[in-house]
């Protein structure tokens, strides 16, 4: 199929395509890179990374059911490779988002809870990611009919976003 180096180029091109709105081409390139890394004995870290990027793209396109298996594979890979909280947390957040979009609110709630606990271990490095996870978890609470919990999460998300902004100044 191709070399790992070629797959790296495909992955970079996919991200560029995605940012330019060429999502079909981005998906195709991500999938091609994934096949190459899956056949590489040393490709496990890249396989998990590509599953995560495909899940994020699917979430962005509102294709939540298609995102779920990729997000699950990305989380499983992070656990298997014992990646640090700074890497696992965003993958859990991505899975929570896919589950939320697909209407699996109870599982999304549990996943966001784990994502938040994981991202808290990665502070201050992952301040922005934590703010995003808190905000999205608040939306799950809203959808579950838990307005008080949603409000508390929104308030925490705002505080985290402020902290992130202060770190950038």
């Amino acid at each position: 199929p191709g070399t790992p180096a070629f797959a790296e180029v495909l992955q970079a091109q996919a991200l560029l395509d995605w940012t330019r709105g060429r999502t079909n081409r981005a998906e195709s390139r991500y999938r091609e890179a994934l096949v190459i890394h899956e056949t590489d004995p040393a490709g496990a870290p890249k396989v998990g990374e590509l599953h995560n990027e495909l899940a994020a793209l699917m979430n962005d396109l509102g294709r939540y059911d298609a995102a779920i298996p990729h997000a699950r594979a990305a989380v499983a890979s992070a656990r298997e490779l014992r990646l640090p909280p700074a890497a696992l947390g965003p993958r859990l957040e991505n899975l929570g988002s896919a589950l939320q979009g697909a209407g699996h609110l109870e599982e999304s709630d549990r996943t966001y809870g784990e994502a938040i606990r994981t991202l808290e271990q990665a502070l201050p490095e992952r301040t922005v990611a934590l703010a995003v996870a808190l905000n999205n978890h608040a939306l799950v609470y809203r959808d579950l009919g838990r307005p008080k919990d949603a409000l508390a999460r929104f308030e925490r998300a705002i505080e985290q976003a402020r902290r992130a902004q202060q770190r950038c100044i």
Side-chain angles (χ1 to χ4, degrees):
T3 65
F6 179 65
E8 296 276 342
V9 172
L10 286 171
Q11 185 178 3
Q13 288 176 326
L15 181 59
L16 185 60
D17 287 333
W18 183 5
T19 60
R20 292 184 172 170
R22 295 186 294 235
T23 55
N24 286 341
R25 190 181 317 177
E27 181 179 354
S28 175
R29 286 181 169 161
Y30 277 135
R31 289 186 187 283
E32 188 177 350
L34 182 61
V35 168
I36 292 168
H37 283 300
E38 285 176 333
T39 61
D40 176 14
K46 294 302 286 186
V47 168
E49 187 179 305
L50 283 159
H51 274 299
N52 193 55
E53 290 180 23
L54 270 165
L57 176 61
M58 298 296 105
N59 280 340
D60 191 40
L61 297 173
R63 293 170 49 196
Y64 303 110
D65 287 324
I68 291 172
H70 290 293
R72 287 192 197 285
V75 168
S77 170
R79 292 188 201 287
E80 186 177 309
L81 295 170
R82 290 183 162 73
L83 296 182
L88 174 60
R91 291 183 186 196
L92 285 163
E93 198 279 331
N94 208 14
L95 175 58
S97 181
L99 292 165
Q100 178 183 5
H104 305 291
L105 298 179
E106 295 293 337
E107 188 179 359
S108 178
D109 175 27
R110 290 189 301 275
T111 303
Y112 274 127
E114 184 181 357
I116 290 164
R117 289 187 300 277
T118 302
L119 288 165
E120 286 171 337
Q121 296 172 32
L123 292 176
E125 180 182 353
R126 286 295 188 167
T127 308
V128 172
L130 179 56
V132 170
L134 288 162
N135 180 76
N136 292 346
H137 196 200
L139 296 172
V140 172
Y141 280 148
R142 177 202 64 194
D143 293 347
L144 285 169
R146 295 170 55 184
K148 289 180 183 175
D149 292 328
L151 180 59
R153 280 290 197 234
F154 278 131
E155 288 171 346
R156 235 183 115 206
I158 290 167
E159 182 56 35
Q160 279 304 129
R162 284 189 182 125
R163 285 187 190 138
Q165 184 180 23
Q166 289 170 351
R167 289 190 71 225
C168 294
I169 296 174

